[in-house]
Amino acid sequence: MVRNTGIAVLCRAVFVCFVFSLLTVFSIDVNPASAQSPAGRDVSQGESLNGAVPGNTTGGVSDSEFWRQVRSGAAGGLVPLVQSQGDEWSRWRGPLQTYGGWILAVVVGIILIYFAIRGRMRIEGGRTGMVIPRFSLTQRVAHWVIAILFVILGLSGLAIMFGRFVLIPVFGKDGFAAIASLSLQAHNLFGPLFVPAVIALFITFLRGNGFKMHDLKWIMKGGGFFGVHASSEKYNFGEKSWFWWAILTGIALSVTGLIMVLPGLGFERGTMQIANVIHTAAAILFMAVGIGHMYVGTIGIEGALEGMTRGTVDVNWAKEHHDMWYEQHADEATPDVAAAEAQAADGKV
Amino acid sequence: MNDANQSGHAIPWFTDFAEGPLWYVAATVFVFGVLWRIVGLLALGRGEDKSVPKQSGMAGGIKAILLHSVPHGGFFTHTAFHVIAGYMFHIGLFALLFFAAPHVDFLRERVLGFGWTPLPDWAFIVAAQISFAGLILLWVRRVADPVIRRLKDAHDYIGSGLTFLVMLTGCFALQESRPVLAGIHMFTVDIWLIYFPFSRLMHAFTFLFSRYYTGAFYGRRGVTP
């Protein structure tokens, strides 16, 4: 093991010497003018003109020119040995981790505080036993596919991003290495499935999600979260905003994710670094609102989840949360739950 | 117990157990269980069919096997979803199971003694994605469709859930960086193999028998099932 390490160090030293020799030689060949003064005189004779270094200490090339070529890879067509943009990427990534983590923590905190104060929002009039078809089978399949991907990609993404700070204290470095490895593989494998899932979500939920003037009234009444009834059509302002938020961040995640997962398509390192920063920011924004959506759709509001599992909602739930939509579909209310579910499955919603 | 593999990481006892004793037990249960089920099924035989044959039962059986593999008889709109998702899942799973490089190596070294050319990495990943997409689609539909939800019971969810876990842990171990990840995958495979003969996963072997039986029964009466 010791012997292997020694050989590796020796090889690395030889390689570095070789590369720098090449750079020095090629930098002179590629840009011979740099070795001479504008007047065509050799600056190695001790005359310093226009940035050229006297004394030929760097082979007649100034330090700045030397490092410029190291960074650009211009010397002899070699790849860049120092990529300055990587420093900028690091400068962005740190704050993104810090502020991103705080954003997600604050969202979870607000939800917990709201739940502690307000509790579950019950159906005030109680359940009637009468239901109305609300979501088609196609919509529900599109929703749950992206929900499953959200959980897998979200957890694996969080482990990749925050695991070093959160998981190492719990599982140790070796344990975290295993979790990081599985998270990376899961993220890369399931990531591409997210692209068609976003497209399917857009197509199946587009109708009814355009903003209208009466959405302002819903906003003014606090969306009904503070005890005042807020009228709404099939989708309220919050749901519409979440839809467009998910689509826009979903597009950003899809495009930047594909850039990173398909390096074979010829994207440059700089492009992938920008993609990484955008991907991280979009993921945090997507998850922050998504966590709120999950809360509202499950434990936050009684009766909401059924719409997405069975395709039907209770009549009183519809009246209390989507009264304008209920007025349009009141004649479809039925005590025959199975028939209403079948109607929803057929897309008659 | 803590040997080291080539990459220098400690191999935990868990991986040794999953790839050693538990694997032998699981493989034995799988082989004998499947044989026991198939032989038992065939030994049941069938009662004498006293109807006057209008057509060949065998032709009806073969026709049923082929017809039930594609949408037919004007049912495409109703069956397109599960036919497409079903093929995505099963073809992807088949490709993963028998043509992923680590699986080919495993079969050569531990089971068959010979191997074959595996899929390239990119094709293996695409097969995994197609298979996962198919399984998730079928799963979601199973929960969301009111008719299918009423037809399914716990065994359907356990079987598909275990299959998902096997695939997911296989995905986790893709980088082959940590022996413990391979051990977790192997452990789920062992559980899956033990559960297989006693579950609806047996349809991988029995679907041809059942389709043939139904096709022959109706074919003898001149009906195309």
Side-chain angles (χ1 to χ4, degrees):
Chain A
M1 199 65 183
V2 172
R3 190 181 168 192
N4 287 342
T5 308
I7 291 170
V9 169
L10 182 63
C11 289
R12 202 174 300 150
V14 170
F15 175 74
V16 169
C17 290
F18 174 70
V19 171
F20 272 84
S21 304
L22 277 180
L23 282 168
T24 310
V25 171
F26 280 117
S27 64
I28 294 167
D29 288 347
V30 167
N31 189 10
S34 64
Q36 294 184 335
S37 70
R41 285 173 295 173
D42 191 341
V43 294
S44 67
Q45 299 304 314
E47 298 173 46
S48 176
L49 294 169
N50 294 332
V53 180
N56 198 23
T57 54
T58 59
V61 187
S62 69
D63 280 2
S64 57
E65 178 62 21
F66 178 81
W67 286 109
R68 190 176 296 120
Q69 294 200 18
V70 168
R71 286 190 165 88
S72 68
L78 295 173
V79 294
L81 294 180
V82 175
Q83 199 232 10
S84 304
Q85 202 177 344
D87 294 333
E88 292 173 30
W89 171 70
S90 296
R91 277 198 289 274
W92 276 96
R93 188 169 165 77
L96 264 177
Q97 280 180 320
T98 307
Y99 295 117
W102 274 112
I103 288 172
L104 294 177
V106 166
V107 166
V108 172
I110 289 173
I111 289 171
L112 288 175
I113 291 168
Y114 179 83
F115 184 69
I117 295 170
R118 180 75 165 79
R120 192 175 201 203
M121 205 182 284
R122 300 282 178 192
I123 300 175
E124 286 178 12
R127 291 179 182 272
T128 61
M130 302 272 284
V131 294
I132 300 180
R134 179 160 170 82
F135 291 119
S136 71
L137 184 60
T138 311
Q139 285 177 313
R140 282 179 282 146
V141 168
H143 173 269
W144 286 116
V145 167
I146 208 162
I148 290 170
L149 293 175
F150 176 87
V151 172
I152 294 172
L153 294 172
L155 290 176
S156 56
L158 287 172
I160 292 167
M161 192 165 176
F162 301 110
R164 188 172 296 180
F165 315 110
V166 179
L167 299 179
I168 286 180
V170 181
F171 297 102
K173 288 185 177 174
D174 213 41
F176 169 66
I179 294 171
S181 173
L182 72 86
S183 299
L184 182 69
Q185 297 308 314
H187 210 77
N188 287 350
L189 196 137
F190 283 96
L193 300 181
F194 186 75
V195 181
V198 169
I199 295 170
L201 188 80
F202 177 73
I203 294 171
T204 52
F205 282 90
L206 177 62
R207 192 163 64 103
N209 266 307
F211 292 104
K212 294 183 178 173
M213 284 305 291
H214 62 74
D215 290 325
L216 283 174
K217 292 180 185 169
W218 187 90
I219 298 170
M220 298 300 287
K221 292 182 177 178
F225 283 98
F226 303 101
V228 183
H229 177 74
S231 286
S232 138
E233 288 189 317
K234 181 165 185 175
Y235 304 117
N236 60 41
F237 176 78
E239 288 166 316
K240 290 175 183 178
S241 303
W242 165 233
F243 170 77
W244 290 108
W245 188 266
I247 295 300
L248 291 176
T249 52
I251 291 170
L253 285 166
S254 301
V255 173
T256 53
L258 288 176
I259 288 173
M260 287 188 288
V261 85
L262 298 171
L265 292 183
F267 296 109
E268 290 182 355
R269 183 172 303 195
T271 309
M272 296 174 82
Q273 285 164 341
I274 294 169
N276 178 266
V277 169
I278 297 173
H279 194 81
T280 308
I284 289 165
L285 295 174
F286 186 71
M287 278 192 284
V289 184
I291 291 168
H293 171 74
M294 286 165 66
Y295 164 75
V296 170
T298 52
I299 57 173
I301 298 179
E302 181 189 7
L305 186 62
E306 297 153 25
M308 208 38 92
T309 53
R310 301 190 165 199
T312 60
V313 290
D314 190 87
V315 162
N316 270 351
W317 182 91
K319 284 180 187 173
E320 291 171 17
H321 296 283
H322 298 274
D323 52 344
M324 296 163 75
W325 172 74
Y326 169 73
E327 292 300 330
Q328 294 165 358
H329 295 268
D331 57 333
E332 294 171 27
T334 172
D336 189 343
V337 177
E341 287 183 16
Q343 185 183 330
D346 285 341
K348 297 168 186 169
V349 292
Chain B
M1 290 301 270
N2 280 320
D3 301 331
N5 71 350
Q6 289 178 344
S7 62
H9 299 302
I11 300 176
W13 65 268
F14 175 74
T15 304
D16 285 341
F17 174 68
E19 291 183 347
L22 189 60
W23 153 248
Y24 291 114
V25 170
T28 305
V29 170
F30 175 77
V31 170
F32 285 100
V34 166
L35 283 175
W36 176 64
R37 287 291 304 272
I38 291 176
V39 170
L41 196 68
L42 294 175
L44 276 176
R46 42 189 289 207
E48 186 187 354
D49 193 337
K50 294 175 181 174
S51 65
V52 179
K54 290 186 176 179
Q55 285 179 14
S56 159
M58 183 184 287
I62 294 169
K63 198 188 285 185
I65 289 173
L66 297 175
L67 276 179
H68 282 248
S69 299
V70 292
H72 66 283
F75 292 110
F76 183 74
T77 51
H78 287 89
T79 56
F81 185 97
H82 81 254
V83 167
I84 293 169
Y87 272 115
M88 283 168 67
F89 167 61
H90 285 99
I91 291 175
L93 184 63
F94 182 82
L96 284 183
L97 198 55
F98 294 109
F99 291 97
H103 293 170
V104 173
D105 287 345
F106 183 86
L107 290 170
R108 185 180 60 241
E109 291 167 12
R110 304 285 299 269
V111 183
L112 299 172
F114 63 89
W116 47 86
T117 308
L119 283 170
D121 277 356
W122 67 265
F124 163 53
I125 297 295
V126 169
Q129 288 167 336
I130 290 173
S131 191
F132 269 119
L135 182 55
I136 291 173
L137 284 170
L138 290 171
W139 223 1
V140 166
R141 181 169 176 267
R142 179 177 289 175
V143 176
D145 188 299
V147 177
I148 296 175
R149 191 175 66 235
R150 285 170 171 82
L151 290 173
K152 300 295 177 184
D153 61 22
H155 291 288
D156 293 298
Y157 293 102
I158 294 170
S160 55
L162 264 179
T163 306
F164 182 81
L165 265 184
V166 169
M167 290 169 61
L168 190 67
T169 55
C171 154
F172 288 168
L174 261 177
Q175 202 172 13
E176 298 185 50
S177 62
R178 297 276 151 176
V180 69
L181 297 178
I184 292 170
H185 177 51
M186 200 61 207
F187 180 77
T188 58
V189 169
D190 293 336
I191 301 300
W192 187 81
L193 287 172
I194 292 169
Y195 180 70
F196 192 104
F198 315 104
S199 71
R200 291 187 184 140
L201 296 173
M202 270 297 291
H203 77 275
F205 294 104
T206 57
F207 80 101
L208 288 175
F209 298 109
S210 59
R211 281 186 190 174
Y212 181 86
Y213 180 85
T214 308
F217 180 87
Y218 284 102
R220 184 181 165 90
R221 288 158 178 76
V223 178
T224 300

